[in-house]
Amino acid sequence: MNVFDFAMKMEKDGEAFYRELAEKTSDSGVKTIFNAMADEEVKHYKTFEGMKEGRAELPDTLFLKDMKNVFEKFRDEGGKVDFGEQTVDQYKKAMKLEEESEKFYRESAEQVKGKQQQEVMLRIAAEEHKHFQILENMVELIEHPDRWVEDAEWRHIVEY
């Protein structure tokens, strides 16, 4: 399996995982986050599909701005969020997957041909890092809602 096929499988699995998490909550904000993350995985899949065919294009995303809006709403509502059946362990598992994806894409950037493909790989790695940071904020919100609301400064979110 080449790097693009492997990446496409990772993105397809990620999409399915986030759709499943979205289905397990009744909270519209949490649902929005997970559906947006699943949509991002679809974009990445299509990017790798194009790279496999010799194109190296990555669509722009407003993902981070959209997620900040959701978290600001959580903050404004006092951190009251219904995470439904989900557990911190599920979010931590998702964080681990994002961390592994980021590492894989950074390493794969050295294996692909052409500067443009390398840049796309690194940009996707950076986006996977953003996903990790969003999940990290969710874990903080679950584990320490009072502290999170007081200190919701987005210190973990880095613009790329």
Side-chain angles (χ1 to χ4, degrees):
M1 183 178 296
N2 71 32
V3 68
F4 301 122
D5 289 331
F6 189 77
M8 288 164 57
K9 179 173 179 356
M10 285 175 47
E11 297 299 328
K12 190 59 92 175
D13 291 347
E15 177 197 5
F17 183 71
Y18 289 127
R19 298 273 185 230
E20 180 181 329
L21 290 176
E23 287 180 24
K24 290 182 177 180
T25 183
S26 61
D27 188 280
S28 63
V30 175
K31 194 176 290 286
T32 295
I33 289 171
F34 285 125
N35 280 323
M37 291 177 79
D39 293 344
E40 287 292 299
E41 303 298 347
V42 170
K43 287 179 187 177
H44 294 169
Y45 178 92
K46 290 178 181 177
T47 298
F48 290 124
E49 190 174 50
M51 289 173 76
K52 184 177 175 181
E53 296 169 359
R55 298 183 316 274
E57 303 165 355
L58 184 63
D60 288 331
T61 180
L62 296 174
F63 177 72
L64 189 56
K65 181 181 178 191
D66 295 341
M67 294 306 96
K68 282 185 179 182
N69 291 338
V70 172
F71 277 102
E72 286 170 357
K73 182 179 178 201
F74 289 158
R75 182 197 59 214
D76 294 345
E77 293 176 356
K80 292 179 175 56
V81 182
D82 176 13
F83 286 96
E85 304 171 21
Q86 284 150 120
T87 66
V88 171
D89 289 339
Q90 288 174 301
Y91 295 123
K92 288 182 178 179
K93 176 184 175 185
M95 287 171 66
K96 181 74 173 160
L97 293 172
E98 293 296 347
E99 190 173 49
E100 289 171 0
S101 295
E102 177 186 1
K103 181 181 177 191
F104 173 76
Y105 296 141
R106 289 195 188 286
E107 291 171 356
S108 296
E110 299 172 13
Q111 299 173 18
V112 295
K113 296 178 183 176
K115 186 168 176 62
Q116 190 175 15
Q117 284 192 348
Q118 290 174 341
E119 288 173 1
V120 170
M121 279 291 196
L122 292 174
R123 185 157 166 215
I124 291 177
E127 289 186 4
E128 299 296 353
H129 186 74
K130 289 178 196 176
H131 298 175
F132 175 89
Q133 292 173 316
I134 288 166
L135 290 161
E136 185 177 47
N137 271 277
M138 292 179 78
V139 168
E140 284 185 36
L141 178 58
I142 294 168
E143 291 182 332
H144 308 286
D146 294 335
R147 186 174 71 202
W148 188 91
V149 171
E150 291 172 9
D151 191 29
E153 295 294 324
W154 291 91
R155 66 193 181 288
H156 300 291
I157 302 296
V158 177
E159 295 282 353
Y160 290 94

